[in-house]
Amino acid sequence: MVVLTESHQPLFLTRTSLRRGVSVASLLALSFAGCDRETEERQLPAANSATETPGQSGKPTLPAELSPKNPALEQAAAPAPPPPHPGPWFVVTKTSTGIFEKANFDKEGKFGYARNGERLPVTGAVVSTDNCSGGWYAIVSGGFVCGNSGTIDDKSPDLKFVRKPPNLDEVLPYRYARNAKNGTPLYRSIPTREQMLAYEPYLEDAKKAELAEAEKANADGPEPNVAAKTAVVDVKTAATEAPGPAAVRVSEQRSVADENTEGETAEATSDVPWWQAEDAKDRLHEVTLEKLQSDADDVLAKRMVSGFYVAIDKTFSWHGRSWYKTTKGLVTPADRFWQTKGSDFKGVALGAEHRLPMAWVIGVQKGISAYRIDEAANTITPELTLERFQVVSLSGETKSHRGVDYRQTKDGLWVKSRFLRVTEPADLPSDLKPGERWIDVNLSHQTLVAFEGETPKYATLISSGKKSTIKDKDHRTPTGTWRIYVKHLTDTMDGDGTAAGDLPYSIEDVPYVMYFHKSYALHGAFWHANYGVEMSHGCVNLAPLDAKFLFFFATPTLVEGSHGAWASAQRLGSLVQIHE
C-alpha cells in the first residue's frame, strides 16, 4: 500500500479533454492538467432517436476477485462467452493507431484507438486499400484499422521492439514505481557509462564516500582497497574525458565559482540545478514541468521530482545496474525508485447476498464496535468488532442514543454513524434510457452505486475532491449529470501545483480513466488507499479493482485489444450523476 504525506501526494489528477478530430499520436504527446482545471469538453452531436442506440454494452466479465460467492445467482441469464479468437491478430507497431467506423480516415468516423504493442483481433484478409497502402483490416468486434500502423505477421522483426500491452488479468494494467529522489533522469535511450556519470553526479559522490570509508577502515591496517580507488579514478576520468552536456555545465559552474571572489560566489551558486540545491526540498513548489525539461538534450528527456510515478514496460540490467524502460519509451535507473501495487480493497456486487442500503466502516481506528442497545434499561453493550473497510448491511433504521447518532444493521445491532459511509443514491436521472447502465456518486457519503436501469448492480467507496474555503485550494468535485465522453485504459496525468504549497505531479498511465465533464474523470488510484475520504484534486478516485469493473461496465465500449474509445450519438457514454 502506498502512503504519501499530504504535502507530497500527487493528488488525483486528470488531463485535458480529448477530441476525436485530433490525431491519436498528437493526443498521446500532450501534457495534461489537473482535475480542477478549466478545459473544454468535446460536444457530442445531437441525439437522433431514429438512429441512436441505448448506452448498453453487453454484460462485462466480472474479474475473478470480484465474483459473487454464487455466480449462478448473478449470471444465470448471461449468454455463454464467445470462443477465443483463433487469429490473426493485428499488432500495433507504430506509437498508436486510430480505429474507424469505415475503411477510411474520416475523422468523424474515428471512435477508438490502440497503442503500440496492443493486439486487435481481425478477420484476416485486407478489405480495402483506400488511402492505406498496407490495406484496411476489419476488426472482429467492429471497426477498421490501417495496416500501415502494424502487422498480422507473428514473425515480423518489428514485433521485437513493441511494448507490452496492458495486463487486464492483474489488479493494475502495468507495474508502477515511485521516484524516491529529486532530479532522477529520464533518458531517451540507454546512456553510456560516461553519459550516466555526467548526468548523475551523485554516483561520483557515492564512490568518493565508499573510498573514504575504505580508507578510514584501513587507516591502521593494509593498503585501502585498490578496486575502490580505481573505481573512483575511473569515474573522475570518465566524467572529465568524455563529458556529456550536463557534465560540461557542472564543470563550467565550478570553474566560475573557483575564480570568483567571495562576494561573487552567490551569483555562481544560483546556477546550480534546482535538484542539487541545498534547499531543494523546501522549494519544490517552485518547480514546474517546463523546468524539469530545462536541461533536456539528445540524451536526457527530463528530470523527475520525488513522488512522480512511472509505468514499467520492462526491467533490464546494464553495467551492473538495474534499469526501467517506461511505457513512454524512456529509460531510468531503477535504484532511484521503489515499486508499488494497488490496494486490494474492492466494492461488492449487489444481488442476493448484498442489497441496499449498505455501508463500509471507515476511520483511523483499526476496528469499531457494533452495539446492542436496550432503551428500557438504558444500556449499550458492544457485541461485535467491525474492521476498517468491512461491509455492513443496514436495515435503514437510525436513532440517537445519549446524543450519539447510530445506524442499525440488518442483524439488529447499532453502529455509530460517524464511522460509516452509507449508500444513498439520488433519484433516477431524467434522461435515463430503459435498461441503460449509469453511475451514481454521493459526495456526502463518498459512495458510488452502479445501476442497470433501476436495478443496482455494484456499490463501493470513492475519494472525491478536497474542499477548501481558499479558492486556489478548493478542489471539490462538481455536482451534476453528464455522460462519459471518452475512456482510456490508461492515461498519463501531470501538471504544476495550482496554489502555494502545491507540488508538481506526474503519474504515468493512471489506470481505467473515464472522463465525464471537462477534465473530471472517474479513475483508479493506486497511490493511496484512503477510500471513503475526500482526497483528490476534483476527480473521483476509485480502488483499482473497482475502477476496472466500472470501466468495462460503463459505455462507450472498447474494441477488444484497443486502448480507448470516444462516445457519440450512436455510441452513447454512460450517465454519471454526482450529488451531495
Side-chain angles (χ1 to χ4, degrees):
M1 179 179 74
V2 183
V3 180
L4 306 179
T5 62
E6 181 174 337
S7 61
H8 286 79
Q9 286 182 8
L11 295 178
F12 324 158
L13 330 160
T14 149
R15 93 177 177 183
T16 359
S17 303
L18 300 179
R19 297 173 179 270
R20 282 169 59 195
V22 181
S23 71
V24 175
S26 300
L27 294 172
L28 298 179
L30 292 175
S31 295
F32 308 108
C35 286
D36 56 350
R37 300 296 174 85
E38 288 296 324
T39 54
E40 183 181 356
E41 180 177 350
R42 185 174 68 85
Q43 297 299 314
L44 299 180
N48 184 332
S49 59
T51 58
E52 190 175 86
T53 56
Q56 182 89 15
S57 62
K59 191 175 184 68
T61 300
L62 197 67
E65 57 270 30
L66 296 179
S67 297
K69 292 182 179 179
N70 187 355
L73 294 175
E74 294 294 322
Q75 301 182 8
H85 179 61
W89 294 87
F90 183 87
V91 182
V92 180
T93 57
K94 301 296 184 183
T95 302
S96 62
T97 187
I99 298 173
F100 297 82
E101 294 277 6
K102 299 179 181 179
N104 59 55
F105 287 109
D106 177 16
K107 290 182 179 180
E108 291 301 315
K110 184 169 66 175
F111 67 91
Y113 72 97
R115 296 201 320 191
N116 181 274
E118 292 180 327
R119 305 168 71 244
L120 302 169
V122 295
T123 58
V126 168
V127 299
S128 169
T129 57
D130 183 22
N131 293 324
C132 173
S133 59
W136 289 93
Y137 290 91
I139 301 171
V140 171
S141 55
F144 297 85
V145 61
C146 176
N148 293 342
S149 58
T151 181
I152 62 170
D153 180 5
D154 59 7
K155 294 182 174 56
S156 170
D158 291 340
L159 299 183
K160 296 180 181 179
F161 306 103
V162 299
R163 298 167 196 160
K164 292 180 182 178
N167 186 345
L168 304 185
D169 294 328
E170 297 294 333
V171 174
L172 293 170
Y174 298 111
R175 289 183 296 147
Y176 295 86
R178 182 179 187 270
N179 174 40
K181 302 288 185 180
N182 291 320
T184 298
L186 278 167
Y187 294 108
R188 300 184 190 278
S189 59
I190 303 172
T192 65
R193 179 182 291 275
E194 292 76 16
Q195 290 169 339
M196 179 177 67
L197 297 174
Y199 290 98
E200 301 181 69
Y202 42 79
L203 296 176
E204 182 178 352
D205 295 339
K207 287 295 183 181
K208 288 179 179 179
E210 289 177 13
L211 178 58
E213 288 294 326
E215 290 177 338
K216 181 178 179 181
N218 293 281
D220 299 320
E223 179 70 13
N225 185 283
V226 175
K229 292 180 66 177
T230 303
V232 174
V233 171
D234 288 346
V235 168
K236 294 174 68 175
T237 302
T240 303
E241 293 182 352
V248 173
R249 286 193 289 272
V250 172
S251 176
E252 290 173 348
Q253 290 164 9
R254 289 174 179 169
S255 297
V256 171
D258 291 341
E259 294 173 2
N260 277 345
T261 63
E262 183 176 350
E264 296 171 321
T265 303
E267 182 179 350
T269 56
S270 65
D271 292 332
V272 173
W274 66 269
W275 52 276
Q276 289 181 298
E278 293 183 1
D279 60 348
K281 291 183 179 180
D282 299 325
R283 301 181 62 181
L284 289 180
H285 61 282
E286 300 176 2
V287 178
T288 63
L289 296 179
E290 182 179 1
K291 190 171 185 178
L292 297 180
Q293 301 181 57
S294 59
D295 56 348
D297 52 33
D298 292 342
V299 177
L300 180 71
K302 57 185 175 182
R303 295 190 181 271
M304 285 181 282
V305 172
S306 175
F308 281 19
Y309 285 83
V310 296
I312 303 168
D313 177 45
K314 61 185 65 176
T315 303
F316 63 93
S317 296
W318 181 85
H319 281 299
R321 196 179 188 192
S322 292
W323 296 78
Y324 293 142
K325 180 183 178 184
T326 75
T327 55
K328 303 304 178 188
L330 301 177
V331 176
T332 193
D335 51 63
R336 304 278 286 184
F337 294 81
W338 50 268
Q339 285 195 38
T340 184
K341 62 179 183 179
S343 167
D344 58 1
F345 170 78
K346 56 185 178 292
V348 294
L350 301 175
E353 182 177 357
H354 297 291
R355 297 177 182 274
L356 301 182
M358 56 183 302
W360 289 264
V361 176
I362 59 99
V364 296
Q365 296 175 327
K366 184 176 181 180
I368 63 170
S369 294
Y371 300 93
R372 182 77 63 186
I373 298 178
D374 187 335
E375 294 285 3
N378 196 27
T379 60
I380 178 167
T381 306
E383 287 202 5
L384 184 66
T385 298
L386 304 175
E387 298 181 351
R388 185 175 183 237
F389 287 156
Q390 185 169 336
V391 176
V392 181
S393 295
L394 302 175
S395 70
E397 297 295 322
T398 63
K399 73 162 51 180
S400 180
H401 182 76
R402 298 177 184 175
V404 177
D405 292 331
Y406 290 84
R407 287 183 180 264
Q408 187 183 49
T409 72
K410 69 176 184 179
D411 298 322
L413 300 179
W414 295 89
V415 182
K416 293 178 180 178
S417 297
R418 70 175 182 270
F419 292 124
L420 295 178
R421 290 288 184 260
V422 182
T423 53
E424 290 188 358
D427 295 334
L428 299 179
S430 59
D431 57 345
L432 185 69
K433 299 184 180 302
E436 122 172 75
R437 291 174 176 169
W438 61 284
I439 296 169
D440 180 277
V441 176
N442 186 314
L443 299 179
S444 297
H445 289 284
Q446 296 289 291
T447 55
L448 175 151
V449 180
F451 287 82
E452 197 166 90
E454 298 183 21
T455 306
K457 290 291 186 179
Y458 192 84
T460 192
L461 293 172
I462 59 111
S463 289
S464 64
K466 296 179 71 174
K467 299 175 183 176
S468 174
T469 56
I470 302 173
K471 183 178 179 180
D472 287 342
K473 294 187 177 183
D474 186 12
H475 303 304
R476 69 186 66 204
T477 302
T479 57
T481 302
W482 304 274
R483 287 190 178 274
I484 294 169
Y485 66 91
V486 67
K487 291 168 60 174
H488 307 275
L489 276 176
T490 65
D491 196 19
T492 293
M493 300 179 177
D494 55 16
D496 301 326
T498 58
D502 282 356
L503 303 182
Y505 53 79
S506 178
I507 303 180
E508 287 186 355
D509 281 323
V510 172
Y512 305 115
V513 182
M514 299 188 287
Y515 290 100
F516 56 86
H517 173 58
K518 297 183 178 179
S519 58
Y520 295 95
L522 297 105
H523 63 75
F526 58 81
W527 48 91
H528 80 90
N530 204 18
Y531 313 114
V533 178
E534 294 177 354
M535 293 286 291
S536 84
H537 266 197
C539 283
V540 178
N541 284 187
L542 296 157
L545 289 172
D546 291 335
K548 178 164 66 171
F549 173 76
L550 292 169
F551 187 86
F552 291 104
F553 176 87
T555 55
T557 306
L558 268 66
V559 166
E560 181 183 354
S562 68
H563 204 85
W566 290 274
S568 67
Q570 288 69 42
R571 297 174 180 268
L572 285 180
S574 291
L575 283 165
V576 177
Q577 177 173 263
I578 300 180
H579 59 95
E580 294 289 350

